[in-house]
């Protein structure tokens, strides 16, 4: 079983790095395409609620966007 929290953290760090050069890049799972991007990265097919839970968990532990 994949550790989605670990995969989300990796995806989030990569995506936040891209936000510097590509300001329209988003990590907000409410934005169109973000869930699809994560699912492609993770090789999974999670739903919005699972993605929202991952986002909240990450923000709680790591404090959100740096």
């Amino acid at each position: 079983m994949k550790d989605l929290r670990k995969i989300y953290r990796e995806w989030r760090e990569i995506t936040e790095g891209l936000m510097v050069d590509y300001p329209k890049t988003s990590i907000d799972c409410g934005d169109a395409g973000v869930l699809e991007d994560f699912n492609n990265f993770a090789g999974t097919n999670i739903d919005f609620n699972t993605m929202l839970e991952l986002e909240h968990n990450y923000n709680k532990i790591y404090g959100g966007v740096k």
Side-chain angles (χ1 to χ4, degrees):
M1 182 175 191
K2 295 181 179 187
D3 182 352
L4 288 178
R5 290 176 296 186
K6 181 178 177 182
I7 295 169
Y8 181 84
R9 179 179 177 195
E10 181 181 354
W11 171 83
R12 177 84 175 244
E13 290 172 355
I14 291 168
T15 304
E16 286 178 356
L18 290 171
M19 292 172 78
V20 173
D21 294 325
Y22 303 97
K24 292 188 179 190
T25 303
S26 179
I27 52 167
D28 183 348
C29 67
D31 289 350
V34 173
L35 178 59
E36 180 180 0
D37 181 56
F38 176 76
N39 277 323
N40 289 334
F41 178 84
T44 191
N45 192 26
I46 63 169
D47 62 17
F48 172 79
N49 289 328
T50 303
M51 180 75 166
L52 185 60
E53 184 179 326
L54 289 169
E55 185 176 308
H56 284 169
N57 183 54
Y58 181 92
N59 289 339
K60 182 178 175 183
I61 294 170
Y62 300 105
V65 177
K66 298 173 185 165

